[in-house]
Amino acid sequence: MMATPCKPQCFPNQRLSFSLPSLVMIITWLFSVTESAAPITVKGEVGGNVTIFHLNEGPVEFFYFQRGTEYVNGYHSTKPLNDSVPWPNTRLSEDKRTLYMYNLNISHSGNYECYVNKNHERDVIQYIVHLNVTAKYTVPEVKMNCNGLSCMVTCSSYGGYPKNSMSWSIPGSQKVWKEVDSNVTEDPNTMMMNIVSTAYFNCSNGELQHNRCSVGEVTSDMFRVCTPSSTTGNYYVIPIATSALVGISIIMALLLLWKCKKRRTGAVAIDVRQEWGMDGQTEEEVELKNTAS
Ligand SMILES: *[C@@H]1O[C@H](CO)[C@@H](O)[C@H](O)[C@H]1NC(C)=O
Ligand SMILES: *[C@@H]1O[C@H](CO)[C@@H](O)[C@H](O)[C@H]1NC(C)=O
Ligand SMILES: *[C@@H]1O[C@H](CO)[C@@H](O)[C@H](O)[C@H]1NC(C)=O
Ligand SMILES: *[C@@H]1O[C@H](CO)[C@@H](O)[C@H](O)[C@H]1NC(C)=O
Ligand SMILES: *[C@@H]1O[C@H](CO)[C@@H](O)[C@H](O)[C@H]1NC(C)=O
Ligand SMILES: *[C@@H]1O[C@H](CO)[C@@H](O)[C@H](O)[C@H]1NC(C)=O
């Protein structure tokens, strides 16, 4: 996304446009003291491109764009600037009036200065450009772990900038939940932030619906806690129940096979009795059950 280029008032090409006292104007003229206009803010996103500087009109003798004492890019109408290597992620337009910055990352954030000299003027105008690079946090990922009486829910969001915090939107009573831990860490390579926040929910008042967690404008899907299924076990209750059901079905099928086999071959009742755990029962009772089924 391109930042909007500076409005004309950002780049006054006549010193007279400043309503300064005349003495200051004379001093400025004689000593070529730099004038500074109001800082210009340019917004960009990580990986994006911006127009970081644009001169609207009038001839230009030179302009230098720098950060502190570090040269970023520039132009001089009569001198080659080949002793200064421009930042590789910057490019000057053909007409030498617009400077672009590409593939932004967090370390490009900060203040830059631009020194502009118009032809036939002896003063240099200084502009301060504030580049603000941001990164969108990922949609918070929700994970929950319930033990029947309570649930611990973790919301995680990654790769954002600037630093922010996780906020929880839990309709209903404030008493049944609380944020118990929040951890914001910086990725040392990208300088971007990761947020992991954990909240505790008391399930004694039943299910809590329409919950969300969010970082700035980025919001998770709605989630429910203390649902009937989550209170009977934990988050993995469904896979466990399914595998138990499959196990029981297999045992039943095997037992049926046993019974069919027994009828045909007249296998001894004691085997079935052991299978059913009915060791204390008499052979007659077991025989009765088998014929009944
Ligand atoms: C930024 O500029 C590069 C090079 O011109 C281009 O490949 C890329 O698509 C641009 N990205 C955006 C987000 O505009
Ligand atoms: C810059 O380039 C000019 C000609 O293009 C050359 O004469 C000069 O030596 C170069 N200066 C440096 C510092 O490389
Ligand atoms: C950068 O922009 C973001 C979003 O507009 C804002 O919250 C933040 O305060 C700005 N940072 C600076 C240093 O201006
Ligand atoms: C925050 O998370 C990081 C990485 O997972 C971990 O090393 C650190 O100990 C955590 N800090 C706190 C206060 O929990
Ligand atoms: C940002 O990009 C510059 C190159 O433009 C690179 O040298 C620097 O390591 C990058 N920094 C981060 C924090 O990614
Ligand atoms: C959960 O809430 C109930 C009723 O509000 C309360 O009696 C109980 O002590 C709470 N449990 C915990 C672990 O805080």
PDB file of all heavy atoms in Angstrom, residues 102-135:
ATOM      1  N   TYR A 102      10.922   0.406  -0.239  1.00  0.00           N
ATOM      2  CA  TYR A 102      10.292  -0.897  -0.464  1.00  0.00           C
ATOM      3  C   TYR A 102      10.547  -1.875   0.660  1.00  0.00           C
ATOM      4  O   TYR A 102      11.500  -1.724   1.420  1.00  0.00           O
ATOM      5  CB  TYR A 102      10.853  -1.524  -1.753  1.00  0.00           C
ATOM      6  CG  TYR A 102      10.522  -0.736  -2.978  1.00  0.00           C
ATOM      7  CD1 TYR A 102      11.465   0.132  -3.535  1.00  0.00           C
ATOM      8  CD2 TYR A 102       9.268  -0.832  -3.561  1.00  0.00           C
ATOM      9  CE1 TYR A 102      11.168   0.873  -4.666  1.00  0.00           C
ATOM     10  CE2 TYR A 102       8.955  -0.087  -4.687  1.00  0.00           C
ATOM     11  CZ  TYR A 102       9.909   0.760  -5.234  1.00  0.00           C
ATOM     12  OH  TYR A 102       9.602   1.491  -6.333  1.00  0.00           O
ATOM     13  N   ASN A 103       9.746  -2.919   0.666  1.00  0.00           N
ATOM     14  CA  ASN A 103       9.977  -4.060   1.555  1.00  0.00           C
ATOM     15  C   ASN A 103      10.293  -3.612   2.985  1.00  0.00           C
ATOM     16  O   ASN A 103      11.325  -3.952   3.551  1.00  0.00           O
ATOM     17  CB  ASN A 103      11.119  -4.909   0.970  1.00  0.00           C
ATOM     18  CG  ASN A 103      11.148  -6.293   1.567  1.00  0.00           C
ATOM     19  OD1 ASN A 103      10.154  -6.751   2.136  1.00  0.00           O
ATOM     20  ND2 ASN A 103      12.283  -6.961   1.471  1.00  0.00           N
ATOM     21  N   LEU A 104       9.364  -2.862   3.521  1.00  0.00           N
ATOM     22  CA  LEU A 104       9.572  -2.269   4.845  1.00  0.00           C
ATOM     23  C   LEU A 104       9.656  -3.321   5.942  1.00  0.00           C
ATOM     24  O   LEU A 104       8.994  -4.353   5.874  1.00  0.00           O
ATOM     25  CB  LEU A 104       8.399  -1.334   5.174  1.00  0.00           C
ATOM     26  CG  LEU A 104       8.235  -0.119   4.283  1.00  0.00           C
ATOM     27  CD1 LEU A 104       6.935   0.590   4.633  1.00  0.00           C
ATOM     28  CD2 LEU A 104       9.409   0.830   4.441  1.00  0.00           C
ATOM     29  N   ASN A 105      10.486  -3.032   6.940  1.00  0.00           N
ATOM     30  CA  ASN A 105      10.465  -3.826   8.160  1.00  0.00           C
ATOM     31  C   ASN A 105      10.514  -2.866   9.349  1.00  0.00           C
ATOM     32  O   ASN A 105      10.661  -1.646   9.168  1.00  0.00           O
ATOM     33  CB  ASN A 105      11.560  -4.900   8.160  1.00  0.00           C
ATOM     34  CG  ASN A 105      12.960  -4.332   8.174  1.00  0.00           C
ATOM     35  OD1 ASN A 105      13.236  -3.362   8.872  1.00  0.00           O
ATOM     36  ND2 ASN A 105      13.854  -4.963   7.418  1.00  0.00           N
ATOM     37  N   ILE A 106      10.394  -3.436  10.550  1.00  0.00           N
ATOM     38  CA  ILE A 106      10.272  -2.601  11.744  1.00  0.00           C
ATOM     39  C   ILE A 106      11.478  -1.681  11.932  1.00  0.00           C
ATOM     40  O   ILE A 106      11.327  -0.538  12.368  1.00  0.00           O
ATOM     41  CB  ILE A 106      10.057  -3.483  13.001  1.00  0.00           C
ATOM     42  CG1 ILE A 106       8.825  -4.377  12.859  1.00  0.00           C
ATOM     43  CG2 ILE A 106       9.971  -2.634  14.274  1.00  0.00           C
ATOM     44  CD1 ILE A 106       7.519  -3.676  12.622  1.00  0.00           C
ATOM     45  N   SER A 107      12.658  -2.166  11.553  1.00  0.00           N
ATOM     46  CA  SER A 107      13.842  -1.328  11.794  1.00  0.00           C
ATOM     47  C   SER A 107      13.889  -0.095  10.887  1.00  0.00           C
ATOM     48  O   SER A 107      14.703   0.797  11.127  1.00  0.00           O
ATOM     49  CB  SER A 107      15.122  -2.159  11.669  1.00  0.00           C
ATOM     50  OG  SER A 107      15.278  -2.619  10.364  1.00  0.00           O
ATOM     51  N   HIS A 108      13.028  -0.033   9.879  1.00  0.00           N
ATOM     52  CA  HIS A 108      12.968   1.183   9.058  1.00  0.00           C
ATOM     53  C   HIS A 108      12.164   2.294   9.740  1.00  0.00           C
ATOM     54  O   HIS A 108      12.187   3.438   9.289  1.00  0.00           O
ATOM     55  CB  HIS A 108      12.349   0.881   7.687  1.00  0.00           C
ATOM     56  CG  HIS A 108      13.159  -0.065   6.858  1.00  0.00           C
ATOM     57  ND1 HIS A 108      12.618  -1.169   6.238  1.00  0.00           N
ATOM     58  CD2 HIS A 108      14.482  -0.079   6.569  1.00  0.00           C
ATOM     59  CE1 HIS A 108      13.581  -1.817   5.599  1.00  0.00           C
ATOM     60  NE2 HIS A 108      14.725  -1.177   5.782  1.00  0.00           N
ATOM     61  N   SER A 109      11.458   1.968  10.798  1.00  0.00           N
ATOM     62  CA  SER A 109      10.679   2.980  11.542  1.00  0.00           C
ATOM     63  C   SER A 109      11.601   4.030  12.124  1.00  0.00           C
ATOM     64  O   SER A 109      12.724   3.729  12.510  1.00  0.00           O
ATOM     65  CB  SER A 109       9.959   2.327  12.731  1.00  0.00           C
ATOM     66  OG  SER A 109       8.923   1.525  12.297  1.00  0.00           O
ATOM     67  N   GLY A 110      11.101   5.247  12.198  1.00  0.00           N
ATOM     68  CA  GLY A 110      11.875   6.293  12.873  1.00  0.00           C
ATOM     69  C   GLY A 110      11.894   7.587  12.097  1.00  0.00           C
ATOM     70  O   GLY A 110      11.145   7.756  11.129  1.00  0.00           O
ATOM     71  N   ASN A 111      12.757   8.480  12.532  1.00  0.00           N
ATOM     72  CA  ASN A 111      12.823   9.798  11.921  1.00  0.00           C
ATOM     73  C   ASN A 111      13.919   9.882  10.861  1.00  0.00           C
ATOM     74  O   ASN A 111      15.022   9.378  11.049  1.00  0.00           O
ATOM     75  CB  ASN A 111      13.100  10.861  12.992  1.00  0.00           C
ATOM     76  CG  ASN A 111      11.876  11.127  13.839  1.00  0.00           C
ATOM     77  OD1 ASN A 111      10.749  10.830  13.420  1.00  0.00           O
ATOM     78  ND2 ASN A 111      12.076  11.678  15.011  1.00  0.00           N
ATOM     79  N   TYR A 112      13.567  10.529   9.772  1.00  0.00           N
ATOM     80  CA  TYR A 112      14.513  10.783   8.680  1.00  0.00           C
ATOM     81  C   TYR A 112      14.544  12.292   8.467  1.00  0.00           C
ATOM     82  O   TYR A 112      13.583  12.986   8.802  1.00  0.00           O
ATOM     83  CB  TYR A 112      14.036  10.096   7.398  1.00  0.00           C
ATOM     84  CG  TYR A 112      14.028   8.584   7.467  1.00  0.00           C
ATOM     85  CD1 TYR A 112      12.995   7.909   8.110  1.00  0.00           C
ATOM     86  CD2 TYR A 112      15.045   7.838   6.878  1.00  0.00           C
ATOM     87  CE1 TYR A 112      12.988   6.516   8.172  1.00  0.00           C
ATOM     88  CE2 TYR A 112      15.042   6.448   6.939  1.00  0.00           C
ATOM     89  CZ  TYR A 112      14.009   5.798   7.580  1.00  0.00           C
ATOM     90  OH  TYR A 112      13.990   4.431   7.648  1.00  0.00           O
ATOM     91  N   GLU A 113      15.646  12.779   7.909  1.00  0.00           N
ATOM     92  CA  GLU A 113      15.705  14.205   7.578  1.00  0.00           C
ATOM     93  C   GLU A 113      15.942  14.331   6.083  1.00  0.00           C
ATOM     94  O   GLU A 113      16.667  13.523   5.502  1.00  0.00           O
ATOM     95  CB  GLU A 113      16.854  14.928   8.291  1.00  0.00           C
ATOM     96  CG  GLU A 113      16.796  14.889   9.799  1.00  0.00           C
ATOM     97  CD  GLU A 113      17.619  13.752  10.363  1.00  0.00           C
ATOM     98  OE1 GLU A 113      18.810  13.649  10.019  1.00  0.00           O
ATOM     99  OE2 GLU A 113      17.054  12.955  11.127  1.00  0.00           O
ATOM    100  N   CYS A 114      15.328  15.339   5.529  1.00  0.00           N
ATOM    101  CA  CYS A 114      15.564  15.606   4.121  1.00  0.00           C
ATOM    102  C   CYS A 114      16.011  17.050   4.016  1.00  0.00           C
ATOM    103  O   CYS A 114      15.375  17.952   4.578  1.00  0.00           O
ATOM    104  CB  CYS A 114      14.284  15.382   3.324  1.00  0.00           C
ATOM    105  SG  CYS A 114      14.603  15.433   1.563  1.00  0.00           S
ATOM    106  N   TYR A 115      17.138  17.298   3.313  1.00  0.00           N
ATOM    107  CA  TYR A 115      17.644  18.650   3.110  1.00  0.00           C
ATOM    108  C   TYR A 115      17.468  18.990   1.647  1.00  0.00           C
ATOM    109  O   TYR A 115      17.997  18.293   0.774  1.00  0.00           O
ATOM    110  CB  TYR A 115      19.109  18.742   3.530  1.00  0.00           C
ATOM    111  CG  TYR A 115      19.260  18.469   5.020  1.00  0.00           C
ATOM    112  CD1 TYR A 115      19.595  17.202   5.482  1.00  0.00           C
ATOM    113  CD2 TYR A 115      19.001  19.474   5.942  1.00  0.00           C
ATOM    114  CE1 TYR A 115      19.692  16.948   6.841  1.00  0.00           C
ATOM    115  CE2 TYR A 115      19.090  19.228   7.300  1.00  0.00           C
ATOM    116  CZ  TYR A 115      19.438  17.959   7.750  1.00  0.00           C
ATOM    117  OH  TYR A 115      19.513  17.727   9.083  1.00  0.00           O
ATOM    118  N   VAL A 116      16.689  20.030   1.408  1.00  0.00           N
ATOM    119  CA  VAL A 116      16.350  20.390   0.039  1.00  0.00           C
ATOM    120  C   VAL A 116      16.863  21.789  -0.268  1.00  0.00           C
ATOM    121  O   VAL A 116      16.673  22.715   0.524  1.00  0.00           O
ATOM    122  CB  VAL A 116      14.813  20.343  -0.180  1.00  0.00           C
ATOM    123  CG1 VAL A 116      14.468  20.739  -1.606  1.00  0.00           C
ATOM    124  CG2 VAL A 116      14.268  18.958   0.140  1.00  0.00           C
ATOM    125  N   ASN A 117      17.498  21.919  -1.403  1.00  0.00           N
ATOM    126  CA  ASN A 117      17.929  23.229  -1.884  1.00  0.00           C
ATOM    127  C   ASN A 117      17.323  23.455  -3.253  1.00  0.00           C
ATOM    128  O   ASN A 117      17.524  22.668  -4.175  1.00  0.00           O
ATOM    129  CB  ASN A 117      19.458  23.290  -1.955  1.00  0.00           C
ATOM    130  CG  ASN A 117      19.939  24.642  -2.424  1.00  0.00           C
ATOM    131  OD1 ASN A 117      20.413  24.783  -3.537  1.00  0.00           O
ATOM    132  ND2 ASN A 117      19.803  25.636  -1.575  1.00  0.00           N
ATOM    133  N   LYS A 118      16.568  24.545  -3.354  1.00  0.00           N
ATOM    134  CA  LYS A 118      15.957  24.896  -4.634  1.00  0.00           C
ATOM    135  C   LYS A 118      16.944  25.775  -5.400  1.00  0.00           C
ATOM    136  O   LYS A 118      17.741  26.484  -4.786  1.00  0.00           O
ATOM    137  CB  LYS A 118      14.673  25.692  -4.389  1.00  0.00           C
ATOM    138  CG  LYS A 118      13.765  25.053  -3.351  1.00  0.00           C
ATOM    139  CD  LYS A 118      12.653  24.320  -3.999  1.00  0.00           C
ATOM    140  CE  LYS A 118      11.783  23.663  -2.933  1.00  0.00           C
ATOM    141  NZ  LYS A 118      10.663  22.967  -3.502  1.00  0.00           N
ATOM    142  N   ASN A 119      16.871  25.739  -6.691  1.00  0.00           N
ATOM    143  CA  ASN A 119      17.771  26.580  -7.492  1.00  0.00           C
ATOM    144  C   ASN A 119      17.605  28.043  -7.128  1.00  0.00           C
ATOM    145  O   ASN A 119      16.511  28.506  -6.849  1.00  0.00           O
ATOM    146  CB  ASN A 119      17.440  26.412  -8.991  1.00  0.00           C
ATOM    147  CG  ASN A 119      17.965  25.103  -9.520  1.00  0.00           C
ATOM    148  OD1 ASN A 119      18.612  24.346  -8.800  1.00  0.00           O
ATOM    149  ND2 ASN A 119      17.678  24.828 -10.775  1.00  0.00           N
ATOM    150  N   HIS A 120      18.725  28.769  -7.157  1.00  0.00           N
ATOM    151  CA  HIS A 120      18.763  30.205  -6.911  1.00  0.00           C
ATOM    152  C   HIS A 120      18.271  30.587  -5.532  1.00  0.00           C
ATOM    153  O   HIS A 120      17.814  31.692  -5.313  1.00  0.00           O
ATOM    154  CB  HIS A 120      17.967  30.975  -7.995  1.00  0.00           C
ATOM    155  CG  HIS A 120      18.241  30.469  -9.375  1.00  0.00           C
ATOM    156  ND1 HIS A 120      19.508  30.457  -9.918  1.00  0.00           N
ATOM    157  CD2 HIS A 120      17.424  29.916 -10.310  1.00  0.00           C
ATOM    158  CE1 HIS A 120      19.452  29.927 -11.127  1.00  0.00           C
ATOM    159  NE2 HIS A 120      18.197  29.587 -11.380  1.00  0.00           N
ATOM    160  N   GLU A 121      18.323  29.664  -4.612  1.00  0.00           N
ATOM    161  CA  GLU A 121      18.018  30.019  -3.227  1.00  0.00           C
ATOM    162  C   GLU A 121      19.222  29.580  -2.417  1.00  0.00           C
ATOM    163  O   GLU A 121      19.816  28.544  -2.688  1.00  0.00           O
ATOM    164  CB  GLU A 121      16.760  29.294  -2.730  1.00  0.00           C
ATOM    165  CG  GLU A 121      15.474  29.891  -3.283  1.00  0.00           C
ATOM    166  CD  GLU A 121      14.239  29.226  -2.698  1.00  0.00           C
ATOM    167  OE1 GLU A 121      14.350  28.683  -1.574  1.00  0.00           O
ATOM    168  OE2 GLU A 121      13.198  29.243  -3.357  1.00  0.00           O
ATOM    169  N   ARG A 122      19.554  30.387  -1.427  1.00  0.00           N
ATOM    170  CA  ARG A 122      20.756  30.062  -0.682  1.00  0.00           C
ATOM    171  C   ARG A 122      20.472  29.275   0.596  1.00  0.00           C
ATOM    172  O   ARG A 122      21.373  28.894   1.284  1.00  0.00           O
ATOM    173  CB  ARG A 122      21.535  31.348  -0.344  1.00  0.00           C
ATOM    174  CG  ARG A 122      22.388  31.790  -1.533  1.00  0.00           C
ATOM    175  CD  ARG A 122      23.254  32.949  -1.165  1.00  0.00           C
ATOM    176  NE  ARG A 122      22.460  34.179  -1.070  1.00  0.00           N
ATOM    177  CZ  ARG A 122      22.937  35.321  -0.594  1.00  0.00           C
ATOM    178  NH1 ARG A 122      24.163  35.386  -0.122  1.00  0.00           N
ATOM    179  NH2 ARG A 122      22.191  36.404  -0.565  1.00  0.00           N
ATOM    180  N   ASP A 123      19.213  29.139   0.891  1.00  0.00           N
ATOM    181  CA  ASP A 123      18.909  28.389   2.110  1.00  0.00           C
ATOM    182  C   ASP A 123      18.537  26.946   1.777  1.00  0.00           C
ATOM    183  O   ASP A 123      18.123  26.619   0.669  1.00  0.00           O
ATOM    184  CB  ASP A 123      17.774  29.044   2.901  1.00  0.00           C
ATOM    185  CG  ASP A 123      16.483  29.034   2.145  1.00  0.00           C
ATOM    186  OD1 ASP A 123      16.537  29.121   0.896  1.00  0.00           O
ATOM    187  OD2 ASP A 123      15.423  28.923   2.767  1.00  0.00           O
ATOM    188  N   VAL A 124      18.750  26.144   2.775  1.00  0.00           N
ATOM    189  CA  VAL A 124      18.406  24.734   2.664  1.00  0.00           C
ATOM    190  C   VAL A 124      17.217  24.491   3.575  1.00  0.00           C
ATOM    191  O   VAL A 124      17.223  24.943   4.722  1.00  0.00           O
ATOM    192  CB  VAL A 124      19.609  23.860   3.094  1.00  0.00           C
ATOM    193  CG1 VAL A 124      19.220  22.394   3.194  1.00  0.00           C
ATOM    194  CG2 VAL A 124      20.769  24.052   2.144  1.00  0.00           C
ATOM    195  N   ILE A 125      16.214  23.841   3.056  1.00  0.00           N
ATOM    196  CA  ILE A 125      15.049  23.548   3.893  1.00  0.00           C
ATOM    197  C   ILE A 125      15.187  22.134   4.444  1.00  0.00           C
ATOM    198  O   ILE A 125      15.494  21.205   3.695  1.00  0.00           O
ATOM    199  CB  ILE A 125      13.720  23.683   3.103  1.00  0.00           C
ATOM    200  CG1 ILE A 125      13.664  25.048   2.401  1.00  0.00           C
ATOM    201  CG2 ILE A 125      12.529  23.502   4.038  1.00  0.00           C
ATOM    202  CD1 ILE A 125      12.499  25.189   1.442  1.00  0.00           C
ATOM    203  N   GLN A 126      14.968  22.046   5.734  1.00  0.00           N
ATOM    204  CA  GLN A 126      15.035  20.727   6.346  1.00  0.00           C
ATOM    205  C   GLN A 126      13.615  20.224   6.592  1.00  0.00           C
ATOM    206  O   GLN A 126      12.781  20.942   7.148  1.00  0.00           O
ATOM    207  CB  GLN A 126      15.779  20.811   7.684  1.00  0.00           C
ATOM    208  CG  GLN A 126      15.911  19.460   8.361  1.00  0.00           C
ATOM    209  CD  GLN A 126      16.145  19.580   9.863  1.00  0.00           C
ATOM    210  OE1 GLN A 126      15.448  20.303  10.553  1.00  0.00           O
ATOM    211  NE2 GLN A 126      17.141  18.870  10.345  1.00  0.00           N
ATOM    212  N   TYR A 127      13.363  19.003   6.209  1.00  0.00           N
ATOM    213  CA  TYR A 127      12.091  18.350   6.506  1.00  0.00           C
ATOM    214  C   TYR A 127      12.373  17.155   7.397  1.00  0.00           C
ATOM    215  O   TYR A 127      13.351  16.447   7.183  1.00  0.00           O
ATOM    216  CB  TYR A 127      11.408  17.837   5.228  1.00  0.00           C
ATOM    217  CG  TYR A 127      11.103  18.922   4.241  1.00  0.00           C
ATOM    218  CD1 TYR A 127      11.955  19.145   3.159  1.00  0.00           C
ATOM    219  CD2 TYR A 127       9.989  19.725   4.388  1.00  0.00           C
ATOM    220  CE1 TYR A 127      11.694  20.151   2.245  1.00  0.00           C
ATOM    221  CE2 TYR A 127       9.706  20.734   3.482  1.00  0.00           C
ATOM    222  CZ  TYR A 127      10.562  20.945   2.414  1.00  0.00           C
ATOM    223  OH  TYR A 127      10.296  21.935   1.522  1.00  0.00           O
ATOM    224  N   ILE A 128      11.496  16.968   8.361  1.00  0.00           N
ATOM    225  CA  ILE A 128      11.594  15.770   9.203  1.00  0.00           C
ATOM    226  C   ILE A 128      10.492  14.824   8.738  1.00  0.00           C
ATOM    227  O   ILE A 128       9.325  15.224   8.650  1.00  0.00           O
ATOM    228  CB  ILE A 128      11.383  16.103  10.702  1.00  0.00           C
ATOM    229  CG1 ILE A 128      12.374  17.152  11.197  1.00  0.00           C
ATOM    230  CG2 ILE A 128      11.434  14.821  11.547  1.00  0.00           C
ATOM    231  CD1 ILE A 128      13.806  16.691  11.332  1.00  0.00           C
ATOM    232  N   VAL A 129      10.879  13.613   8.399  1.00  0.00           N
ATOM    233  CA  VAL A 129       9.884  12.616   7.981  1.00  0.00           C
ATOM    234  C   VAL A 129       9.870  11.520   9.034  1.00  0.00           C
ATOM    235  O   VAL A 129      10.909  10.947   9.357  1.00  0.00           O
ATOM    236  CB  VAL A 129      10.225  12.020   6.592  1.00  0.00           C
ATOM    237  CG1 VAL A 129       9.236  10.921   6.217  1.00  0.00           C
ATOM    238  CG2 VAL A 129      10.240  13.108   5.536  1.00  0.00           C
ATOM    239  N   HIS A 130       8.685  11.291   9.579  1.00  0.00           N
ATOM    240  CA  HIS A 130       8.558  10.221  10.566  1.00  0.00           C
ATOM    241  C   HIS A 130       7.913   9.013   9.883  1.00  0.00           C
ATOM    242  O   HIS A 130       6.760   9.082   9.468  1.00  0.00           O
ATOM    243  CB  HIS A 130       7.716  10.684  11.758  1.00  0.00           C
ATOM    244  CG  HIS A 130       7.525   9.589  12.742  1.00  0.00           C
ATOM    245  ND1 HIS A 130       8.504   9.231  13.630  1.00  0.00           N
ATOM    246  CD2 HIS A 130       6.505   8.724  12.925  1.00  0.00           C
ATOM    247  CE1 HIS A 130       8.080   8.194  14.327  1.00  0.00           C
ATOM    248  NE2 HIS A 130       6.873   7.875  13.921  1.00  0.00           N
ATOM    249  N   LEU A 131       8.701   7.947   9.749  1.00  0.00           N
ATOM    250  CA  LEU A 131       8.145   6.731   9.138  1.00  0.00           C
ATOM    251  C   LEU A 131       7.656   5.809  10.250  1.00  0.00           C
ATOM    252  O   LEU A 131       8.417   5.453  11.152  1.00  0.00           O
ATOM    253  CB  LEU A 131       9.209   6.026   8.282  1.00  0.00           C
ATOM    254  CG  LEU A 131       8.789   4.678   7.665  1.00  0.00           C
ATOM    255  CD1 LEU A 131       7.599   4.837   6.723  1.00  0.00           C
ATOM    256  CD2 LEU A 131       9.961   4.037   6.913  1.00  0.00           C
ATOM    257  N   ASN A 132       6.399   5.445  10.152  1.00  0.00           N
ATOM    258  CA  ASN A 132       5.777   4.579  11.154  1.00  0.00           C
ATOM    259  C   ASN A 132       5.399   3.265  10.476  1.00  0.00           C
ATOM    260  O   ASN A 132       4.466   3.215   9.679  1.00  0.00           O
ATOM    261  CB  ASN A 132       4.540   5.299  11.723  1.00  0.00           C
ATOM    262  CG  ASN A 132       3.863   4.525  12.820  1.00  0.00           C
ATOM    263  OD1 ASN A 132       4.015   3.313  12.935  1.00  0.00           O
ATOM    264  ND2 ASN A 132       3.092   5.228  13.636  1.00  0.00           N
ATOM    265  N   VAL A 133       6.171   2.232  10.760  1.00  0.00           N
ATOM    266  CA  VAL A 133       5.901   0.911  10.156  1.00  0.00           C
ATOM    267  C   VAL A 133       5.157   0.057  11.181  1.00  0.00           C
ATOM    268  O   VAL A 133       5.594  -0.075  12.325  1.00  0.00           O
ATOM    269  CB  VAL A 133       7.214   0.209   9.725  1.00  0.00           C
ATOM    270  CG1 VAL A 133       6.924  -1.146   9.084  1.00  0.00           C
ATOM    271  CG2 VAL A 133       8.005   1.082   8.761  1.00  0.00           C
ATOM    272  N   THR A 134       4.051  -0.489  10.774  1.00  0.00           N
ATOM    273  CA  THR A 134       3.267  -1.352  11.663  1.00  0.00           C
ATOM    274  C   THR A 134       3.125  -2.731  11.035  1.00  0.00           C
ATOM    275  O   THR A 134       3.400  -2.907   9.839  1.00  0.00           O
ATOM    276  CB  THR A 134       1.858  -0.767  11.909  1.00  0.00           C
ATOM    277  OG1 THR A 134       1.195  -0.614  10.659  1.00  0.00           O
ATOM    278  CG2 THR A 134       1.915   0.572  12.630  1.00  0.00           C
ATOM    279  N   ALA A 135       2.718  -3.691  11.849  1.00  0.00           N
ATOM    280  CA  ALA A 135       2.450  -5.042  11.334  1.00  0.00           C
ATOM    281  C   ALA A 135       1.180  -5.540  11.988  1.00  0.00           C
ATOM    282  O   ALA A 135       0.960  -5.334  13.183  1.00  0.00           O
ATOM    283  CB  ALA A 135       3.618  -5.973  11.659  1.00  0.00           C
TER     284      ALA A 135
END
